[in-house]
Amino acid sequence: MNEIIDIIRGYSVKDSIDALYYAIRFIKQADSISKNDKDFFEDDERSMPSQEARKLTIRIIDIIEAKYGKNAAELDDAEFIEAMKALSAARNTLETPASAAEEEAAREAINSMVIPELKGN
Amino acid sequence: MWCTPYFSSDFNSPHYTVPPSSSPFEIYKQYQREIRTGDQHGYKIEANRTGIRKGAEKMRKWGKISESQLREISVIAKKANNEQFRPLLCVISRIEAVPYYKAVDIGDKANPLSQEYILNDLPQSVFDVVSIG
């Protein structure tokens, strides 16, 4: 679904990330969203997506539904996984390559991650 | 942070209305399965990488992190292996959660009868972290 990658190129990285996030949310919950007329953009007020991000989200969902010729709620397991992979692949195109120093810093941060202590310990 | 007063979704109670997509236990199991089995068809962790990136963009917008910290978080979210997405449960005292509470509109829930809430800026001091299995 390179069309998704082509479309997000016309938007800011921030709006593109938001749109991919809400498209993932929509695809995951498509069944309950369609049954309950749910607003899948619902979030903490400060986290609400911009109008541009909303429009882009709808365009991305339209691409996915057009590809399979059905509503997202009707996707079978294989189609669902393929769509989710396409959304992840699109996100990866938004990342500028990390420098060697950034990769090393990330590796160190990952290796230093610990499970949070329980309250009172 | 989205939360619910119910842990699982398979109670035989007419009052239990949280659907699997909003059930902490179901979400927990899904992450655990993807990590344990190296599930090639898993999507939860990949979706979470996008969610982390979205959160970092918001933090940058609000001035809570610098541009270099945003960059660092983005690289970590991309490079971290699946093991690093091991699920933990946050158990929050209802009383302590109240100041941070926002009700979710009925139409915005996974199920209209479901009890789901959004907590903003919840400090780490008001919840416990639990690991299962």
Side-chain angles (χ1 to χ4, degrees):
Chain A
M1 272 179 271
N2 288 339
E3 216 177 329
I4 296 174
I5 294 171
D6 292 339
I7 280 181
I8 62 175
R9 284 196 185 119
Y11 291 79
S12 70
V13 170
K14 190 180 152 310
D15 282 340
S16 298
I17 290 283
D18 271 5
L20 291 168
Y21 173 83
Y22 288 106
I24 287 170
R25 182 187 276 187
F26 180 86
I27 302 291
K28 279 196 302 184
Q29 301 181 16
D31 189 41
S32 64
I33 289 168
S34 62
K35 280 180 188 160
N36 301 312
D37 196 23
K38 177 180 174 182
D39 175 11
F40 63 98
F41 290 114
E42 169 70 18
D43 250 323
D44 161 27
E45 275 174 32
R46 298 169 306 166
S47 299
M48 291 289 193
S50 68
Q51 287 303 317
E52 286 296 291
R54 286 171 186 255
K55 281 184 212 162
L56 179 56
T57 305
I58 302 301
R59 290 182 71 186
I60 291 170
I61 292 167
D62 284 347
I63 289 170
I64 291 169
E65 293 186 334
K67 174 180 167 57
Y68 298 109
K70 57 177 87 165
N71 292 330
E74 297 164 338
L75 296 181
D76 64 30
D77 287 351
E79 291 163 342
F80 173 85
I81 294 298
E82 190 178 51
M84 297 300 276
K85 283 185 176 172
L87 293 168
S88 291
R91 184 206 65 229
N92 284 335
T93 67
L94 297 169
E95 312 280 359
T96 48
S99 67
E102 285 175 328
E103 293 235 5
E104 182 54 31
R107 212 173 357 258
E108 278 180 23
I110 290 166
N111 290 337
S112 67
M113 284 182 186
V114 293
I115 297 172
E117 285 184 22
L118 295 179
K119 188 179 175 187
N121 283 0
Chain B
M1 177 190 290
W2 284 70
C3 63
T4 171
Y6 297 105
F7 172 61
S8 188
S9 64
D10 56 355
F11 297 141
N12 294 319
S13 162
H15 304 295
Y16 192 88
T17 55
V18 177
S21 63
S22 297
S23 157
F25 186 50
E26 293 301 323
I27 295 169
Y28 189 100
K29 281 197 301 185
Q30 217 171 341
Y31 275 103
Q32 211 169 38
R33 187 166 53 242
E34 285 191 21
I35 290 165
R36 282 186 179 162
T37 63
D39 189 354
Q40 295 301 308
H41 303 297
Y43 67 88
K44 200 85 184 162
I45 291 171
E46 278 304 308
N48 202 336
R49 293 181 202 271
T50 304
I52 290 170
R53 181 69 198 277
K54 173 185 178 284
E57 292 282 350
K58 294 292 176 195
M59 289 292 179
R60 176 67 192 124
K61 182 185 167 193
W62 301 333
K64 291 192 173 184
I65 60 173
S66 66
E67 192 61 37
S68 66
Q69 286 172 318
L70 166 63
R71 180 92 185 123
E72 187 181 356
I73 292 168
S74 301
V75 177
I76 291 170
K78 188 177 179 185
K79 297 286 177 186
N81 61 38
N82 285 6
E83 283 289 324
Q84 257 88 37
F85 288 84
R86 180 185 155 201
L88 296 168
L89 279 168
C90 295
V91 182
I92 310 161
S93 154
R94 186 186 292 261
I95 292 172
E96 299 204 70
V98 167
Y100 308 96
Y101 153 93
K102 178 200 170 192
V104 178
D105 291 340
I106 287 176
D108 301 332
K109 296 174 184 175
N111 176 324
L113 299 176
S114 173
Q115 285 191 48
E116 296 172 47
Y117 307 96
I118 294 175
L119 298 179
N120 294 324
D121 302 321
L122 193 72
Q124 204 167 348
S125 59
V126 304
F127 62 84
D128 288 332
V129 177
V130 177
S131 174
I132 303 174

